[in-house]
Amino acid sequence: MASGNIVKLNIGGTVFQTTNATLTRFDGMLKVMIETEIPVEKDESGCIFIDRSPKHFDGILNFLRDGHVTLPDSEKEILEIQQEAQFYLLDGLMELCKRYLLNFCIFEIGIINFRKLEPNIIKLNVGGTVFQTKKSMLTRFPSCFKFEKDEAGCIFIDRDPKHFSLILNYLRDGVVELPDDTKEIREIRGEADAYKFYALFK
């Protein structure tokens, strides 16, 4: 519902008020919705209805108002906000989330950061196969490993090593060429989920 410049949005049952100017400040789904003749769904009171969780919509609006927003300290919540930003097609907010996520390297056992490891060359024992990489590669993206060391002092990760070379290439370059085989893609997706490299398939 719009009254002059004021717009009411029903996001998953919660009503928010903002302005046309805010919703059209940045390119994205909300700007298209306001500036074009595309039909929009409305609730019984005339509010524009969007079937999304309202949990992070305050943050979405604050980003639209100011061009920036303070993100939470929780990796999980930032990933949720990034997903909402992707839905609303807000490239700037997606990039902001990506930069914040680069600061996270959280492990299931305690909070152990690869940045605190002394050697620059790190040895990883992935399911019995040893890989070597630089510490800087392991801190490029948020991840989650079960962390312990084998008898040789390598960091042991209890995962299948089959696709770990591809995982490392993703860490090195930020992109990776996926195979054509759908079974292998499913396997790689499973590994990406295990390491919490969700962006690999975005």
Side-chain angles (χ1 to χ4, degrees):
M1 180 170 64
S3 176
N5 191 41
I6 298 175
V7 181
K8 286 186 178 181
L9 302 168
N10 177 344
I11 311 295
T14 301
V15 175
F16 296 83
Q17 280 188 292
T18 185
T19 65
N20 280 305
T22 293
L23 294 177
T24 59
R25 181 171 182 188
F26 295 105
D27 289 338
M29 186 267 278
L30 295 167
K31 181 176 181 178
V32 171
M33 181 183 69
I34 295 298
E35 290 189 340
T36 68
E37 298 300 321
I38 296 175
V40 294
E41 189 170 358
K42 295 188 177 182
D43 66 14
E44 64 280 359
S45 64
C47 299
I48 294 171
F49 178 74
I50 299 176
D51 190 15
R52 297 292 293 181
S53 169
K55 180 178 178 182
H56 298 295
F57 197 71
D58 274 326
I60 297 289
L61 286 181
N62 285 336
F63 175 79
L64 290 171
R65 290 171 180 130
D66 303 325
H68 61 84
V69 67
T70 301
L71 295 175
D73 294 327
S74 164
E75 179 190 14
K76 177 178 178 293
E77 289 200 39
I78 294 176
L79 286 166
E80 290 172 356
I81 293 168
Q82 187 178 48
Q83 188 173 13
E84 292 306 296
Q86 187 172 13
F87 173 79
Y88 292 109
L89 302 177
L90 295 172
D91 292 342
L93 183 54
M94 283 191 283
E95 182 61 31
L96 180 64
C97 290
K98 181 179 177 181
R99 290 202 303 270
Y100 268 66
L101 286 169
L102 290 178
N103 294 323
F104 284 91
C105 193
I106 301 175
F107 297 83
E108 291 178 359
I109 299 179
I111 300 176
I112 303 172
N113 196 315
F114 271 130
R115 294 176 179 85
K116 294 180 180 178
L117 298 175
E118 290 300 327
N120 187 44
I121 305 298
I122 305 296
K123 288 185 178 182
L124 303 168
N125 175 348
V126 182
T129 301
V130 175
F131 298 83
Q132 285 186 299
T133 188
K134 291 183 178 181
K135 179 173 64 174
S136 58
M137 290 301 100
L138 298 176
T139 58
R140 287 194 65 199
F141 293 90
S143 59
C144 190
F145 297 98
K146 251 180 182 173
F147 181 96
E148 57 183 289
K149 291 198 173 182
D150 65 12
E151 65 279 359
C154 299
I155 293 171
F156 178 71
I157 301 171
D158 189 17
R159 298 294 303 175
D160 188 328
K162 179 179 178 181
H163 299 295
F164 195 73
S165 291
L166 185 143
I167 295 291
L168 283 181
N169 286 336
Y170 169 70
L171 286 171
R172 291 174 180 125
D173 303 324
V175 294
V176 72
E177 185 173 344
L178 296 172
D180 295 326
D181 186 271
T182 55
K183 179 177 178 291
E184 290 204 353
I185 289 177
R186 286 197 302 270
E187 293 173 353
I188 294 165
R189 185 183 292 276
E191 293 306 296
D193 288 345
Y195 294 115
K196 293 194 176 179
F197 295 146
Y198 304 120
L200 196 156
F201 279 90
K202 288 184 179 178

